Amino acid sequence: MALYAAYFDDWEVKPQFERAYVSLWPGWLGPADAHELDQVTQLDWGKFNKWLKLVANNHEMHAVNCKLKSTSIVADIEEVLCSYQASMSKTSSDFDKFILPSLNCVITEEWDYTYIIWHKNDGAIEELMPSIASAELFKFTD
């Protein structure tokens, strides 16, 4: 409960964290590019699992359960990741949420093939950038 309470207020990441976005694209898609969401393949989607595996190889990850207001150490990232097919039927309450205590950040799965890194400008983004690039994903901010 203590780890959960340090990062979350109910179902939301605490407001003192800044956001950086990790996506298949280098920025937000506009109306002219929205069709790209419908063209995401299983291979494209797999880049997120590749990224999360790289993160788990280098940092202790805790899976977040907002309903129980708890966390649990991710011993094997393969047990947490879901298939492309399963991911297509997720609701927002099923989206992955991870705390990386060593980086003082949270990673949350969001809509439209985007993850958010919630951080405090204390080196988490710089530490995660090599894994983002290796997974062939993009990081951007508002």
Side-chain angles (χ1 to χ4, degrees), residues 13 20 25 27 33 35 48 50-51 62 64 66 76 78 81-82 88-91 95 102 105 115 122 127 133 142:
V13 176
W25 304 279
D33 301 319
H35 67 278
F48 292 109
K50 179 180 179 182
W51 176 52
H62 294 251
V64 175
C66 291
D76 182 358
E78 295 288 344
L81 300 176
C82 68
M88 296 299 109
S89 61
K90 279 185 174 181
T91 64
F95 285 168
S102 65
C105 73
Y115 278 72
D122 55 4
E127 180 70 25
D142 285 326

Side-chain angles (χ1 to χ4, degrees), residues 43-57 77-78 81 115 130-137:
L43 184 62
D44 294 328
W45 180 86
K47 294 176 182 181
F48 292 109
N49 277 353
K50 179 180 179 182
W51 176 52
L52 293 171
K53 288 176 191 177
L54 291 168
V55 172
N57 285 339
I77 191 67
E78 295 288 344
L81 300 176
Y115 278 72
S131 62
I132 293 167
S134 182
E136 300 177 60
L137 294 168

Side-chain angles (χ1 to χ4, degrees), residues 17-18 25 38 46 70 84 95 97 105 107 112 116 124 133 137:
F17 288 88
E18 295 190 35
W25 304 279
D38 297 326
S70 67
Y84 173 73
F95 285 168
K97 294 174 179 58
C105 73
I107 296 174
D112 296 338
I116 299 176
L137 294 168

Side-chain angles (χ1 to χ4, degrees), residues 28-39:
W28 295 119
L29 296 178
D33 301 319
H35 67 278
E36 292 189 38
L37 292 169
D38 297 326
Q39 297 172 352

